Amino acid sequence: MIKVAPSILSADFACLLQEARRMERFGADWLHIDVMDGHFVPNITMGPLVVQALQGRVGLFLDVHLMIEKPQDFISQFHQAGAQMLTVHAETCPHLHRVIQTIKKMGCKAGVALNPATPLSCLEYILHDVDLVLIMSVNPGFGGQDFIPAVLPKIRALAQEKRKRALTLDIQVDGGINEETAVQVVEAGADILVTGSALFSSAEPQNMIQALKMLPAGK
Ligand code: DX5
Ligand code: ZN
C-alpha cells in the first residue's frame, strides 16, 4: 500500500502538535519535516527543536528532509531529537557515502534526495546503501509549487533499477503532489507520497489521504 507523508510545512505552526495528531487520525503514515537553512534553499523553516517537540507525542514515523548545507554537522542533533529517517540532498554531500554510513550507524534510516535537475546516475554506487530515495518534483524551498512532470521518467528509471537490482529502498516523491499528480507518480513507481499544501488546504483531508493510500502501485 502507498504511504502518505503530510508535510508540516503547510500546517498551522501555532498548533503543530494538534495538526500532526489530526493527520495521524486521518490515516497518514509518516510525518514529513522540512528543514531549510536559507543557504542551500532560499527559505528558513525549522530545526531539531521542532522534531524534539513532536517526538513521543505522535505515533507517526518522523521523516526529516534536510535541505541544508553541511548536513553531516547536524545528523547527531536530529537523531537525538527523535528523527527516524534522515534524508540528505546529494547536491550538498561531496562525501555522500560517508554521510549515509554515519546516519545508519546512529540507528536512523538514511535517505538521499535529488533536485529535479540532478540525474539518477549520481546514485549508481550508493543505491544499495540507502533506505530511501527522494525524488524532488519541485525545486526545494517552498510549499505550494507546481509539480514538474519532467521528473516522471526519473521515477520510472529508479523503479526499474530497484526491480533489476532487487533493492529494498523506498521511492518517495515530494513537491506538488495532489490527487491528480499522485496518480502519475504512483503509476511511475512511487511508494511514499509527500503532500503539503494540497492536503492541508483540502476540504476533506481524510478522504484525500485514504484515496492516495489506495492508488494502485505501478508495475
Ligand atoms: C519543498 C518541500 C516539500 C513541500 C511539499 O521544498 O520539501 O516537502 O513542503 O509541499 P507541497 O505539497 O505544497 O508541494
Ligand atoms: Zn520535503
Side-chain angles (χ1 to χ4, degrees):
M1 199 189 255
I2 301 300
K3 286 194 172 75
V4 175
S7 162
I8 56 167
L9 194 56
S10 296
D12 179 352
F13 274 37
C15 46
L16 212 43
L17 182 60
Q18 289 94 313
E19 290 277 77
R21 287 182 172 159
R22 190 164 68 103
M23 292 302 144
E24 185 176 359
R25 270 202 317 280
F26 292 167
D29 302 278
W30 290 13
L31 195 66
H32 187 80
I33 301 171
D34 285 309
V35 178
M36 303 186 188
D37 66 351
H39 292 277
F40 175 58
V41 291
N43 197 5
I44 297 176
T45 56
M46 50 204 135
L49 289 176
V50 174
V51 180
Q52 198 183 328
L54 294 168
Q55 195 268 331
R57 305 176 81 185
V58 276
L60 297 165
F61 180 85
L62 299 181
D63 169 34
V64 177
H65 178 190
L66 295 177
M67 287 161 276
I68 61 174
E69 285 179 4
K70 297 189 169 48
Q72 65 277 6
D73 294 354
F74 297 94
I75 287 166
S76 168
Q77 275 188 59
F78 278 101
H79 168 63
Q80 281 170 24
Q84 290 165 284
M85 166 73 70
L86 278 174
T87 298
V88 297
H89 268 261
E91 300 85 359
T92 63
C93 295
H95 305 291
L96 182 59
H97 183 271
R98 181 187 290 153
V99 177
I100 294 296
Q101 301 310 324
T102 306
I103 295 172
K104 288 168 68 172
K105 263 188 219 132
M106 271 179 198
C108 262
K109 298 274 185 197
V112 59
L114 298 181
N115 281 343
T118 305
L120 193 56
S121 55
C122 71
L123 300 183
E124 184 172 352
Y125 302 106
I126 196 87
L127 278 182
H128 273 291
D129 294 294
V130 297
D131 298 299
L132 174 141
V133 176
L134 167 49
I135 303 288
M136 288 303 300
S137 42
V138 297
N139 289 296
F142 303 94
Q145 303 180 79
D146 287 340
F147 178 78
I148 300 172
V151 303
L152 286 167
K154 187 161 34 170
I155 301 168
R156 274 191 210 105
L158 176 58
Q160 200 177 0
E161 199 62 17
K162 178 178 160 176
R163 276 194 303 276
K164 199 170 86 189
R165 292 166 61 173
L167 301 168
T168 54
L169 60 84
D170 284 319
I171 303 176
Q172 187 179 49
V173 181
D174 182 9
I177 298 297
N178 55 38
E179 285 182 87
E180 286 77 48
T181 54
V183 174
Q184 300 172 48
V185 301
V186 168
E187 187 278 330
D191 304 300
I192 303 171
L193 303 175
V194 176
T195 172
S197 54
L199 178 63
F200 283 90
S201 66
S202 166
E204 301 281 357
Q206 181 162 17
N207 291 353
M208 180 174 166
I209 289 176
Q210 293 306 321
L212 298 192
K213 289 179 74 156
M214 296 312 291
L215 286 172
K219 291 184 209 71

